[in-house]
Amino acid sequence: MAEAKKIIASISISGEITLNLHSLNNEGGEGNQIITRQVTIVDKEGEIHTVNAISGDMFKHIHAVHLAQIAKEQQLPLSKYAEALNPNRISGEELGSYSKNNIAKANGTAADVIDAMIDICTVCDTHGILITDKIGENKNSSNTPRKSTVEFGWTVGIPNKTNTESYLHTKLVTNAGSTETTGSNEGQNIFHRPANHGVYAFVCSIDVYRIGFNDISRKYPDGVDRAARYKALLQSLLSSFINPKGAMTSTQKPHITDFKGVVAISSKLTPAPTISAINDGYQAEITKIANSLNKIESDMIELKKFDGLGNLAEIIADLMTYEPYKIS
């Protein structure tokens, strides 16, 4: 008899990632100086710190790009926008031409729009989108939200473990010393770029049970391969760590020298616990929470500690054999 697959409802990752010589957290330029994004945080002792930080938008963008590429490779459904890596993800015109339910008709509801979105596009289903177009013959559906199943927090520098340096960047041109200017992009450009390094607290979570789930009708539309989408979601998460395609990575690819932490897995609708690595006792705290939850219901929470990106890859590969939880 074949062994029953383990069920997974949600996943969280809490860890410390060490990044060197990166510029994932630049927030634009001022004159010829690229500005490093910094945030203010409070530690568990109540002390205030200003630290480097990478926004959750950056990692979500990196993950969505990898997911779109993997979905295309594995022939999972994608909208035209998502396939083209357009950040709008899906158009009202594409939704309006959907013919499997009432969406194209005057009596199409918001639930019908969500059903169509889930069916048409893997990225829209898992990463969410807000539809602001009016849809249907009478153009009477608008502002329909699809909440993301994947959540990334800010990747925050651990106090006293991050720093920023700046270096001069120039473009090699002929007659660089000439005073003649044309106003074009042909002259000498001189500007300063930041290079950041440090240990950062990373948190993310995935509501696996919501893959393919319509939050309005509270049902799973027929015909959606939730298991395939779940595996693609995890594969693209691993790809995001292996190859983070973010800001200025064409010349400042991050040197990832360490990643350690805890993967928490929940087999029920109770969320997989997460504690930020800003707290140096985060692993022990997550373990206490898991032990308490497992007293409420046996084997509800499973923890897998990892010490290195290779170890995390092994855990993610194992999780891909689990079966997504389904709300009955």
Side-chain angles (χ1 to χ4, degrees), residues 151-163:
E151 298 177 336
F152 291 92
W154 283 75
T155 299
V156 184
I158 296 175
N160 304 314
K161 291 186 178 182
T162 62
N163 199 6

Side-chain angles (χ1 to χ4, degrees), residues 7 9-12 262-274 286-304 322:
I7 303 297
S10 63
I11 305 167
S12 73
V262 181
V263 179
I265 303 108
S266 176
S267 62
K268 302 291 183 181
L269 292 180
T270 298
T274 181
I286 291 173
T287 300
K288 287 181 182 178
I289 295 170
N291 289 340
S292 297
L293 291 174
N294 285 334
K295 288 179 181 178
I296 298 171
E297 186 169 348
S298 179
D299 300 325
M300 180 165 53
I301 304 295
E302 181 183 4
L303 300 182
K304 294 178 180 285
Y322 287 39

Side-chain angles (χ1 to χ4, degrees), residues 22 139 253 270 293:
H22 74 90
K139 307 293 184 182
K253 198 78 170 175
T270 298
L293 291 174

Side-chain angles (χ1 to χ4, degrees), residues 163-180:
N163 199 6
T164 298
E165 296 176 343
S166 183
Y167 68 94
L168 185 68
H169 178 87
T170 61
K171 181 174 69 175
L172 180 63
V173 296
T174 58
N175 300 321
S178 172
T179 58
E180 181 181 352

